[in-house]
Amino acid sequence: MKLYSEFALWQSVARDPHCMASSMTHLTLANGNVRLAASVDGPMDAVPILFLHGASVSRDTWNETAQRLMDRYCVWTLDFRGHGHSDRAPNYNLAGYVSDAETALAAIGRPTIVVGHSLGACVAGVLSQTNPNIRAVFLEDPPWFLGRPDEWSRSLFSKLFSLLLLRLTKWQEEPPPFSTYVEFLSNGPDRLGGVAQDHISARHLLSHASAIQRVDPRCLRDDCLKETLSSISTERPFLCPAKLVRGEERFGAAFWDEHVGSLLATNPHVEIVQYEQCGHHPHRMLGFEQRFFHDLEDFIAKT
């Protein structure tokens, strides 16, 4: 299987002390009774950047991007409640996720650039509407308008998360081998053609498999996700510089063509860039990782 041959290579690189050396520090933050896992690396006096992940993944999804920035910036990554190594929580709503990010921002203690993907991009957008310590936001394919009536049910995501929830509910009662998670993610059909492992790197598939082993299935329930998105005040403007990158709806993007005009009506200065032949997560797609990083780096440098 192609994935496992790539994994063996990745493991050999990871064991080499001269490859991807990092001084990353892992820490625990307290958001009330919920303990949140976070990591930080880079010069402590440099401009801070906080990375926020999407639903069902973890802060580990940002590893490659963080590695490329931490020589010049103070890079923070966070696991939302119910994800990664953070605690499970009594509720999973927009206010809870925003409070998780604000807990990290309080620990950072300085104006911060926030980068988010999917759910994390929605949280970043909400923060930019209200939090004066947000220096700028970079939004990767946010489902910003999928909380509108009927749009969530029309989207690909309601179906994907329903399928994932069914699997995880069973798997967390009778945990299967780790390879079962990897194969489930790797061999799923992809709208770009073929299967997921044809378009997503082996390292990212392993990262996602690890994340769904730990995720609290309750946060993937349809009613939780729909409530989270419907709570976004899409009519409020962003109060800082913002850039949004998106794929194509036909390939699984969450930010649709019809959403562009709606966002620009409220935020006419937002830069929106579309990646053609791209899905929902360019930062981990084999053909788009480099472009995503260069767009992000250019935005950060201008900010």
Side-chain angles (χ1 to χ4, degrees):
M1 182 178 172
K2 182 177 77 171
L3 177 68
Y4 289 118
S5 62
E6 292 180 3
F7 181 39
L9 174 62
W10 176 75
Q11 282 185 311
S12 67
V13 170
R15 286 193 295 265
D16 184 344
H18 300 291
C19 294
M20 298 178 68
S22 172
S23 58
M24 182 165 288
T25 299
H26 306 295
L27 58 152
T28 300
L29 307 175
N31 182 6
N33 293 325
V34 179
R35 294 173 302 173
L36 303 172
S39 299
V40 60
D41 204 343
M44 291 297 105
D45 58 349
V47 172
I49 305 173
L50 172 64
F51 286 88
L52 303 174
H53 63 78
S56 84
V57 293
S58 72
R59 73 189 192 278
D60 185 60
T61 192
W62 294 115
N63 184 63
E64 288 83 354
T65 305
Q67 289 281 345
R68 295 179 65 169
L69 291 171
M70 59 181 56
D71 62 329
R72 291 156 291 155
Y73 301 97
C74 183
V75 178
W76 289 71
T77 56
L78 174 73
D79 282 340
F80 283 127
R81 59 184 57 208
H83 292 77
H85 293 277
S86 289
D87 282 350
R88 298 186 175 192
N91 59 74
Y92 297 101
N93 53 29
L94 182 64
Y97 292 125
V98 170
S99 72
D100 292 344
E102 288 180 327
T103 298
L105 290 168
I108 295 169
R110 294 181 289 139
T112 301
I113 298 169
V114 182
V115 180
H117 169 239
S118 196
L119 169 64
C122 289
V123 171
V126 171
L127 288 168
S128 78
Q129 296 172 327
T130 59
N131 193 310
N133 280 321
I134 304 302
R135 185 168 176 164
V137 290
F138 189 91
L139 312 175
E140 182 185 6
D141 203 46
W144 190 250
F145 294 102
L146 293 191
R148 290 172 170 176
D150 300 326
E151 290 207 11
W152 172 253
S153 58
R154 282 199 295 125
S155 76
L156 172 69
F157 301 95
S158 63
K159 303 171 184 63
L160 288 178
F161 280 114
S162 293
L163 173 62
L164 180 57
L165 180 61
L166 284 173
R167 293 294 183 102
L168 291 183
T169 300
K170 177 181 178 182
W171 288 344
Q172 293 198 358
E173 291 175 354
E174 300 178 17
F178 180 68
S179 60
T180 300
Y181 296 88
V182 177
E183 290 167 3
F184 170 72
L185 294 171
S186 303
N187 297 322
D190 195 289
R191 286 196 168 190
L192 286 164
V195 294
Q197 68 175 323
D198 296 325
H199 307 284
I200 301 173
S201 73
R203 212 289 301 178
H204 278 292
L205 288 166
L206 290 162
S207 170
H208 197 179
S210 175
I212 65 173
Q213 268 193 318
R214 294 186 173 91
V215 70
D216 186 347
R218 292 180 301 138
C219 69
L220 305 181
R221 286 172 39 186
D222 194 75
D223 56 339
C224 287
L225 294 167
K226 192 186 306 182
E227 179 188 357
T228 294
L229 297 179
S230 64
S231 300
I232 298 171
S233 299
T234 58
E235 300 303 315
R236 297 183 68 173
F238 302 149
L239 302 179
C240 64
K243 182 172 182 175
L244 186 151
V245 297
R246 67 189 187 102
E248 294 188 67
E249 180 184 351
R250 62 186 174 134
F251 295 127
F255 194 92
W256 302 344
D257 289 347
E258 63 195 77
H259 298 156
V260 173
S262 298
L263 185 66
L264 291 177
T266 306
N267 298 279
H269 301 298
V270 172
E271 181 183 1
I272 301 176
V273 178
Q274 183 175 38
Y275 295 177
E276 296 181 0
Q277 300 288 312
C278 180
H280 177 53
H281 37 72
H283 81 275
R284 63 185 197 142
M285 294 183 67
L286 292 171
F288 292 93
E289 287 178 303
Q290 294 298 322
R291 181 178 176 184
F292 175 86
F293 176 75
H294 288 306
D295 276 342
L296 172 60
E297 187 177 42
D298 179 66
F299 176 74
I300 293 171
K302 290 177 180 177
T303 303

mmCIF file of all heavy atoms in Angstrom, residues 261-288:
data_model
loop_
_atom_site.group_PDB
_atom_site.id
_atom_site.type_symbol
_atom_site.label_atom_id
_atom_site.label_comp_id
_atom_site.label_asym_id
_atom_site.label_seq_id
_atom_site.Cartn_x
_atom_site.Cartn_y
_atom_site.Cartn_z
ATOM 1 N N GLY A 261 -20.035 37.242 -2.983
ATOM 2 C CA GLY A 261 -20.705 38.535 -2.944
ATOM 3 C C GLY A 261 -21.216 38.880 -1.562
ATOM 4 O O GLY A 261 -21.148 40.055 -1.140
ATOM 5 N N SER A 262 -21.703 37.890 -0.842
ATOM 6 C CA SER A 262 -22.231 38.131 0.502
ATOM 7 C C SER A 262 -21.130 38.607 1.439
ATOM 8 O O SER A 262 -21.323 39.513 2.249
ATOM 9 C CB SER A 262 -22.871 36.858 1.057
ATOM 10 O OG SER A 262 -23.962 36.445 0.264
ATOM 11 N N LEU A 263 -19.938 37.982 1.346
ATOM 12 C CA LEU A 263 -18.847 38.387 2.217
ATOM 13 C C LEU A 263 -18.323 39.773 1.850
ATOM 14 O O LEU A 263 -18.077 40.612 2.726
ATOM 15 C CB LEU A 263 -17.709 37.371 2.146
ATOM 16 C CG LEU A 263 -16.559 37.633 3.124
ATOM 17 C CD1 LEU A 263 -17.024 37.475 4.570
ATOM 18 C CD2 LEU A 263 -15.373 36.719 2.851
ATOM 19 N N LEU A 264 -18.177 40.033 0.551
ATOM 20 C CA LEU A 264 -17.647 41.327 0.119
ATOM 21 C C LEU A 264 -18.613 42.467 0.408
ATOM 22 O O LEU A 264 -18.182 43.613 0.580
ATOM 23 C CB LEU A 264 -17.311 41.279 -1.366
ATOM 24 C CG LEU A 264 -16.115 40.392 -1.744
ATOM 25 C CD1 LEU A 264 -15.927 40.359 -3.248
ATOM 26 C CD2 LEU A 264 -14.841 40.879 -1.063
ATOM 27 N N ALA A 265 -19.892 42.174 0.490
ATOM 28 C CA ALA A 265 -20.858 43.224 0.814
ATOM 29 C C ALA A 265 -20.616 43.767 2.215
ATOM 30 O O ALA A 265 -20.831 44.958 2.485
ATOM 31 C CB ALA A 265 -22.277 42.678 0.697
ATOM 32 N N THR A 266 -20.186 42.913 3.110
ATOM 33 C CA THR A 266 -19.898 43.320 4.492
ATOM 34 C C THR A 266 -18.433 43.691 4.678
ATOM 35 O O THR A 266 -18.104 44.551 5.496
ATOM 36 C CB THR A 266 -20.258 42.164 5.458
ATOM 37 O OG1 THR A 266 -21.599 41.759 5.225
ATOM 38 C CG2 THR A 266 -20.109 42.600 6.904
ATOM 39 N N ASN A 267 -17.556 43.021 3.912
ATOM 40 C CA ASN A 267 -16.107 43.215 4.064
ATOM 41 C C ASN A 267 -15.481 43.475 2.687
ATOM 42 O O ASN A 267 -14.820 42.592 2.129
ATOM 43 C CB ASN A 267 -15.481 41.972 4.698
ATOM 44 C CG ASN A 267 -16.010 41.682 6.088
ATOM 45 O OD1 ASN A 267 -15.566 42.283 7.055
ATOM 46 N ND2 ASN A 267 -16.969 40.770 6.191
ATOM 47 N N PRO A 268 -15.682 44.665 2.135
ATOM 48 C CA PRO A 268 -15.215 44.927 0.767
ATOM 49 C C PRO A 268 -13.701 44.868 0.593
ATOM 50 O O PRO A 268 -13.218 44.753 -0.531
ATOM 51 C CB PRO A 268 -15.745 46.335 0.477
ATOM 52 C CG PRO A 268 -15.977 46.952 1.825
ATOM 53 C CD PRO A 268 -16.384 45.819 2.724
ATOM 54 N N HIS A 269 -12.937 44.928 1.679
ATOM 55 C CA HIS A 269 -11.483 44.948 1.563
ATOM 56 C C HIS A 269 -10.850 43.572 1.744
ATOM 57 O O HIS A 269 -9.622 43.453 1.674
ATOM 58 C CB HIS A 269 -10.898 45.919 2.591
ATOM 59 C CG HIS A 269 -11.409 47.325 2.442
ATOM 60 N ND1 HIS A 269 -11.193 48.078 1.304
ATOM 61 C CD2 HIS A 269 -12.165 48.096 3.266
ATOM 62 C CE1 HIS A 269 -11.763 49.264 1.440
ATOM 63 N NE2 HIS A 269 -12.358 49.304 2.614
ATOM 64 N N VAL A 270 -11.670 42.540 1.976
ATOM 65 C CA VAL A 270 -11.117 41.193 2.121
ATOM 66 C C VAL A 270 -10.608 40.695 0.777
ATOM 67 O O VAL A 270 -11.289 40.817 -0.248
ATOM 68 C CB VAL A 270 -12.185 40.223 2.674
ATOM 69 C CG1 VAL A 270 -11.665 38.787 2.637
ATOM 70 C CG2 VAL A 270 -12.564 40.594 4.086
ATOM 71 N N GLU A 271 -9.405 40.130 0.776
ATOM 72 C CA GLU A 271 -8.866 39.507 -0.434
ATOM 73 C C GLU A 271 -9.317 38.051 -0.473
ATOM 74 O O GLU A 271 -9.111 37.302 0.485
ATOM 75 C CB GLU A 271 -7.340 39.578 -0.438
ATOM 76 C CG GLU A 271 -6.711 38.974 -1.677
ATOM 77 C CD GLU A 271 -5.196 38.965 -1.654
ATOM 78 O OE1 GLU A 271 -4.613 39.426 -0.649
ATOM 79 O OE2 GLU A 271 -4.596 38.493 -2.640
ATOM 80 N N ILE A 272 -9.955 37.658 -1.571
ATOM 81 C CA ILE A 272 -10.438 36.288 -1.737
ATOM 82 C C ILE A 272 -9.716 35.667 -2.925
ATOM 83 O O ILE A 272 -9.720 36.221 -4.028
ATOM 84 C CB ILE A 272 -11.963 36.245 -1.955
ATOM 85 C CG1 ILE A 272 -12.694 36.873 -0.759
ATOM 86 C CG2 ILE A 272 -12.426 34.804 -2.169
ATOM 87 C CD1 ILE A 272 -14.201 36.949 -0.934
ATOM 88 N N VAL A 273 -9.088 34.521 -2.691
ATOM 89 C CA VAL A 273 -8.329 33.832 -3.729
ATOM 90 C C VAL A 273 -8.893 32.424 -3.885
ATOM 91 O O VAL A 273 -9.035 31.693 -2.907
ATOM 92 C CB VAL A 273 -6.834 33.751 -3.368
ATOM 93 C CG1 VAL A 273 -6.070 32.980 -4.442
ATOM 94 C CG2 VAL A 273 -6.252 35.151 -3.199
ATOM 95 N N GLN A 274 -9.206 32.059 -5.127
ATOM 96 C CA GLN A 274 -9.702 30.707 -5.386
ATOM 97 C C GLN A 274 -8.607 29.846 -6.003
ATOM 98 O O GLN A 274 -7.892 30.273 -6.913
ATOM 99 C CB GLN A 274 -10.904 30.719 -6.327
ATOM 100 C CG GLN A 274 -11.477 29.311 -6.552
ATOM 101 C CD GLN A 274 -12.735 29.316 -7.383
ATOM 102 O OE1 GLN A 274 -12.875 30.080 -8.320
ATOM 103 N NE2 GLN A 274 -13.668 28.448 -7.024
ATOM 104 N N TYR A 275 -8.469 28.627 -5.479
ATOM 105 C CA TYR A 275 -7.573 27.639 -6.056
ATOM 106 C C TYR A 275 -8.410 26.713 -6.941
ATOM 107 O O TYR A 275 -9.291 25.998 -6.440
ATOM 108 C CB TYR A 275 -6.903 26.807 -4.964
ATOM 109 C CG TYR A 275 -5.965 27.547 -4.044
ATOM 110 C CD1 TYR A 275 -5.354 26.883 -2.985
ATOM 111 C CD2 TYR A 275 -5.673 28.901 -4.212
ATOM 112 C CE1 TYR A 275 -4.471 27.543 -2.125
ATOM 113 C CE2 TYR A 275 -4.806 29.566 -3.356
ATOM 114 C CZ TYR A 275 -4.209 28.876 -2.319
ATOM 115 O OH TYR A 275 -3.352 29.519 -1.467
ATOM 116 N N GLU A 276 -8.127 26.694 -8.213
ATOM 117 C CA GLU A 276 -8.865 25.816 -9.121
ATOM 118 C C GLU A 276 -8.375 24.380 -8.989
ATOM 119 O O GLU A 276 -7.222 24.136 -8.660
ATOM 120 C CB GLU A 276 -8.725 26.315 -10.559
ATOM 121 C CG GLU A 276 -9.356 27.691 -10.779
ATOM 122 C CD GLU A 276 -9.241 28.156 -12.209
ATOM 123 O OE1 GLU A 276 -8.659 27.405 -13.040
ATOM 124 O OE2 GLU A 276 -9.728 29.260 -12.518
ATOM 125 N N GLN A 277 -9.296 23.458 -9.232
ATOM 126 C CA GLN A 277 -8.999 22.024 -9.099
ATOM 127 C C GLN A 277 -8.560 21.681 -7.681
ATOM 128 O O GLN A 277 -7.704 20.821 -7.458
ATOM 129 C CB GLN A 277 -7.902 21.607 -10.092
ATOM 130 C CG GLN A 277 -8.248 21.837 -11.543
ATOM 131 C CD GLN A 277 -9.295 20.866 -12.066
ATOM 132 O OE1 GLN A 277 -9.198 19.667 -11.863
ATOM 133 N NE2 GLN A 277 -10.313 21.383 -12.737
ATOM 134 N N CYS A 278 -9.161 22.350 -6.695
ATOM 135 C CA CYS A 278 -8.785 22.168 -5.293
ATOM 136 C C CYS A 278 -10.029 21.955 -4.452
ATOM 137 O O CYS A 278 -11.104 22.486 -4.762
ATOM 138 C CB CYS A 278 -8.029 23.408 -4.812
ATOM 139 S SG CYS A 278 -7.486 23.339 -3.088
ATOM 140 N N GLY A 279 -9.884 21.196 -3.365
ATOM 141 C CA GLY A 279 -10.991 20.926 -2.468
ATOM 142 C C GLY A 279 -10.995 21.826 -1.244
ATOM 143 O O GLY A 279 -10.647 23.005 -1.314
ATOM 144 N N HIS A 280 -11.315 21.231 -0.097
ATOM 145 C CA HIS A 280 -11.586 21.988 1.122
ATOM 146 C C HIS A 280 -10.345 22.335 1.929
ATOM 147 O O HIS A 280 -10.382 23.239 2.760
ATOM 148 C CB HIS A 280 -12.556 21.149 1.980
ATOM 149 C CG HIS A 280 -12.886 21.736 3.313
ATOM 150 N ND1 HIS A 280 -13.360 23.015 3.479
ATOM 151 C CD2 HIS A 280 -12.813 21.198 4.577
ATOM 152 C CE1 HIS A 280 -13.581 23.248 4.767
ATOM 153 N NE2 HIS A 280 -13.239 22.176 5.450
ATOM 154 N N HIS A 281 -9.240 21.642 1.727
ATOM 155 C CA HIS A 281 -8.087 21.778 2.634
ATOM 156 C C HIS A 281 -6.776 21.861 1.862
ATOM 157 O O HIS A 281 -5.951 20.937 1.904
ATOM 158 C CB HIS A 281 -8.042 20.590 3.607
ATOM 159 C CG HIS A 281 -8.457 19.294 2.976
ATOM 160 N ND1 HIS A 281 -7.671 18.629 2.070
ATOM 161 C CD2 HIS A 281 -9.586 18.567 3.114
ATOM 162 C CE1 HIS A 281 -8.284 17.527 1.674
ATOM 163 N NE2 HIS A 281 -9.450 17.468 2.287
ATOM 164 N N PRO A 282 -6.536 22.985 1.171
ATOM 165 C CA PRO A 282 -5.317 23.079 0.359
ATOM 166 C C PRO A 282 -4.028 22.928 1.158
ATOM 167 O O PRO A 282 -3.024 22.466 0.608
ATOM 168 C CB PRO A 282 -5.408 24.479 -0.272
ATOM 169 C CG PRO A 282 -6.466 25.209 0.479
ATOM 170 C CD PRO A 282 -7.396 24.162 0.994
ATOM 171 N N HIS A 283 -4.037 23.261 2.461
ATOM 172 C CA HIS A 283 -2.785 23.189 3.217
ATOM 173 C C HIS A 283 -2.269 21.760 3.354
ATOM 174 O O HIS A 283 -1.094 21.560 3.678
ATOM 175 C CB HIS A 283 -2.938 23.828 4.606
ATOM 176 C CG HIS A 283 -3.563 22.956 5.636
ATOM 177 N ND1 HIS A 283 -4.935 22.840 5.802
ATOM 178 C CD2 HIS A 283 -3.025 22.145 6.578
ATOM 179 C CE1 HIS A 283 -5.193 22.011 6.788
ATOM 180 N NE2 HIS A 283 -4.061 21.564 7.272
ATOM 181 N N ARG A 284 -3.120 20.755 3.100
ATOM 182 C CA ARG A 284 -2.635 19.378 3.204
ATOM 183 C C ARG A 284 -2.800 18.593 1.903
ATOM 184 O O ARG A 284 -2.611 17.385 1.885
ATOM 185 C CB ARG A 284 -3.319 18.645 4.363
ATOM 186 C CG ARG A 284 -4.815 18.481 4.249
ATOM 187 C CD ARG A 284 -5.389 17.848 5.504
ATOM 188 N NE ARG A 284 -6.734 17.319 5.265
ATOM 189 C CZ ARG A 284 -7.198 16.190 5.780
ATOM 190 N NH1 ARG A 284 -6.420 15.465 6.564
ATOM 191 N NH2 ARG A 284 -8.422 15.778 5.525
ATOM 192 N N MET A 285 -3.108 19.292 0.811
ATOM 193 C CA MET A 285 -3.240 18.638 -0.490
ATOM 194 C C MET A 285 -1.909 18.656 -1.231
ATOM 195 O O MET A 285 -1.217 19.668 -1.265
ATOM 196 C CB MET A 285 -4.329 19.317 -1.314
ATOM 197 C CG MET A 285 -5.719 19.140 -0.715
ATOM 198 S SD MET A 285 -7.018 19.874 -1.737
ATOM 199 C CE MET A 285 -6.942 18.804 -3.179
ATOM 200 N N LEU A 286 -1.571 17.540 -1.850
ATOM 201 C CA LEU A 286 -0.265 17.378 -2.464
ATOM 202 C C LEU A 286 0.031 18.457 -3.505
ATOM 203 O O LEU A 286 1.158 18.910 -3.633
ATOM 204 C CB LEU A 286 -0.169 15.983 -3.096
ATOM 205 C CG LEU A 286 -0.154 14.810 -2.112
ATOM 206 C CD1 LEU A 286 -0.290 13.485 -2.849
ATOM 207 C CD2 LEU A 286 1.133 14.817 -1.296
ATOM 208 N N GLY A 287 -0.969 18.880 -4.241
ATOM 209 C CA GLY A 287 -0.731 19.852 -5.302
ATOM 210 C C GLY A 287 -0.824 21.300 -4.870
ATOM 211 O O GLY A 287 -0.594 22.198 -5.697
ATOM 212 N N PHE A 288 -1.144 21.550 -3.592
ATOM 213 C CA PHE A 288 -1.416 22.932 -3.188
ATOM 214 C C PHE A 288 -0.689 23.372 -1.923
ATOM 215 O O PHE A 288 -0.793 24.534 -1.537
ATOM 216 C CB PHE A 288 -2.923 23.126 -2.999
ATOM 217 C CG PHE A 288 -3.696 23.036 -4.285
ATOM 218 C CD1 PHE A 288 -4.244 21.825 -4.694
ATOM 219 C CD2 PHE A 288 -3.844 24.141 -5.100
ATOM 220 C CE1 PHE A 288 -4.937 21.731 -5.892
ATOM 221 C CE2 PHE A 288 -4.527 24.060 -6.294
ATOM 222 C CZ PHE A 288 -5.081 22.852 -6.707
#
